[in-house]
Amino acid sequence: MDTTRAARAAAADFLNCTSEEVTFGHNMTTLTYHLAHAIFSQAAGQRQGSAGPAVVGPGDNIVLSRLEHDANAGPWERLGREVAGCEIRWIPLVEGTAELDLSVLGTLIDERTKFVAVGGAANGLGTINDVERVCAAARSVGALTFVDAVHCAPHDVVDVQAIGCDFLACSPYKFWGPHAGMMYGRAEVMGEVLRPYKIRTAADMLPCDDSYQISKWELGTQNYEALAGVTAAIDYIASVGARFGAGATVGGKGVSQRRAEIVAAWEAIRAHETNIKARFLEGARDIPGLTVYGVTDPDRLHARTSTFGVGFGGRQGDPDALTQALTGAGINCTSGNHYNTFWEESLGLDNTDGVARIGFLHYNTMDEVEAVLEHLEHASKTFHK
């Protein structure tokens, strides 16, 4: 119980919530499907008289985003349509870009909107979404909100109170922890509104010492080794704040020492990654034929993470071949659709091939940025004709 309690306390500091609002699982996708079943199947059960108040049903609509990892689109779309029988609406992309068109929120979100899901940042391109604005629009009509924070969690502070969401999920392995899933769920909703699928003899409460730190939202025995790793990963981030951050000496009223250090860490990391983004984009502009997808305006670095989707275009710009050339030179990168489905619609790229993706994090140096640019310059001689 000590390991689980410690992990919940660490996660609560990381997310800025209470420990009872933290749910652990195998990964973000598993947690998302578990929550989706509760939301949409409850609607079907209510129509049959076997569940609590329906969250969403026929005649209602849910709003999703086109700029998503499919783990934050597929579960909601499929169960919303097949189980709840609701309308699916999509936040479109600004034509020719990889950014959401939030000007249409007032049209998409109305009094029949019951649920809205949006990603904090696009994992394939690094685009950062204005989740606060989306959640505010949803709250104005009483809709529940879910934020996929998997890609933004290793780049900037997560604050569920500032975002104003009902649910938020992320993956500790993305911020230097073990393979696990971690989800915030507002206590009122998780404890009173929704009913999870679980075995009859499992705890029927949110986690606390009375339930031996077992949550009704957690299926089966947890991976305690992974939970210990979650605590260690979050403590590592706090240590970055203690060493390199400013103003992290005291937590202040209602703020733990660890939370203050976590916030200070992200402030220091943000400053370093801003330098990385600026230099990479500056250098990339001088490489013949190279395209950096997503936000490239040097005055809008706040609108992207330090993850870059790149390519040379044309037949010889095959993302997999480019990735193999870079990894062969010791540059760690990936290729493919990265579980996204927007490539053709937004950028005219193949939905299977996607792009080559290069990601920088706080431990990367400016010398390493220069090395990546040098290898991309060399690759241009092969891939740009």
Side-chain angles (χ1 to χ4, degrees):
M1 188 165 71
D2 290 345
T3 298
T4 309
R5 185 192 298 112
R8 288 197 203 283
D13 283 339
F14 185 83
L15 301 169
N16 194 23
C17 64
T18 65
S19 60
E20 71 171 355
E21 294 176 313
V22 175
T23 299
F24 291 113
H26 184 61
N27 50 50
M28 175 270 182
T29 304
T30 301
L31 288 170
T32 303
Y33 259 111
H34 187 37
L35 180 64
H37 275 287
I39 292 174
F40 297 122
S41 297
Q42 184 162 307
Q46 192 273 342
R47 296 197 301 273
Q48 300 167 9
S50 60
V55 175
V56 57
D60 296 328
N61 67 76
I62 66 172
V63 176
L64 309 176
S65 151
R66 287 295 186 191
L67 194 65
E68 297 298 325
H69 186 294
D70 202 49
N72 194 34
W76 313 120
E77 179 184 15
R78 179 180 178 183
L79 294 176
R81 179 178 290 114
E82 296 179 3
V83 178
C86 65
E87 178 189 359
I88 314 296
R89 297 179 177 180
W90 296 90
I91 304 173
L93 300 173
V94 176
E95 187 175 356
T97 76
E99 295 185 80
L100 293 178
D101 183 359
L102 299 186
S103 69
V104 301
L105 286 180
T107 301
L108 291 177
I109 297 176
D110 58 27
E111 69 279 358
R112 299 301 300 177
T113 303
K114 303 302 180 184
F115 179 83
V116 178
V118 65
N123 71 306
L125 298 172
T127 306
I128 295 175
N129 298 320
D130 189 348
V131 291
E132 291 88 350
R133 180 177 172 184
V134 176
C135 289
R139 280 199 312 277
S140 71
V141 298
L144 295 175
T145 53
F146 180 97
V147 173
D148 170 4
V150 172
H151 182 65
C152 58
H155 294 285
D156 211 335
V157 66
V158 176
D159 187 339
V160 297
Q161 308 305 322
I163 293 171
C165 56
D166 294 291
F167 314 100
L168 180 145
C170 56
S171 301
Y173 80 92
K174 293 288 187 178
F175 51 86
W176 319 293
H179 278 84
M182 192 168 88
M183 184 174 72
Y184 156 78
R186 188 158 59 87
E188 179 185 357
V189 179
M190 298 290 273
E192 302 173 18
V193 177
L194 297 180
R195 294 169 56 179
Y197 280 83
K198 65 182 187 67
I199 62 174
R200 290 170 293 181
T201 53
D204 196 26
M205 62 181 73
L206 296 181
C208 60
D209 283 356
D210 287 344
S211 69
Y212 299 95
Q213 285 295 321
I214 298 171
S215 170
K216 66 180 181 178
W217 288 92
E218 294 169 349
L219 300 177
T221 303
Q222 291 296 296
N223 182 340
Y224 299 116
E225 296 87 346
L227 294 186
V230 169
T231 303
I234 294 171
D235 282 343
Y236 162 71
I237 296 170
S239 75
V240 173
R243 293 174 60 195
F244 302 106
T249 54
V250 291
K253 184 177 180 181
V255 178
S256 71
Q257 175 69 26
R258 179 164 52 193
R259 175 65 185 177
E261 291 174 349
I262 289 170
V263 172
W266 291 120
E267 291 173 351
I269 289 170
R270 188 187 310 124
H272 177 59
E273 290 191 359
T274 295
N275 291 333
I276 286 176
K277 290 184 282 187
R279 175 58 194 134
F280 180 81
L281 289 173
E282 177 187 42
R285 283 193 291 271
D286 296 330
I287 297 176
L290 180 67
T291 297
V292 178
Y293 298 100
V295 177
T296 57
D297 185 344
D299 293 327
R300 298 185 63 235
L301 297 179
H302 62 278
R304 70 162 307 123
T305 69
S306 51
T307 294
F308 301 93
V310 301
F312 285 98
R315 181 180 61 83
Q316 291 182 311
D318 174 66
D320 187 57
L322 175 58
T323 296
Q324 290 185 43
L326 292 174
T327 55
I331 305 298
N332 185 29
C333 63
T334 58
S335 64
N337 61 26
H338 300 98
Y339 302 97
N340 296 287
T341 62
F342 57 76
W343 300 108
E344 183 173 357
E345 176 186 352
S346 64
L347 300 171
L349 302 173
D350 186 274
N351 270 340
T352 299
D353 292 342
V355 295
R357 182 180 68 176
I358 300 170
F360 297 97
L361 288 163
H362 72 289
Y363 48 70
N364 288 118
T365 66
M366 299 306 292
D367 285 343
E368 289 172 327
V369 176
E370 296 300 329
V372 172
L373 290 169
E374 288 175 10
H375 284 293
L376 284 170
E377 175 79 33
H378 179 74
S380 73
K381 296 177 174 60
T382 300
F383 295 100
H384 176 61
K385 299 294 185 179

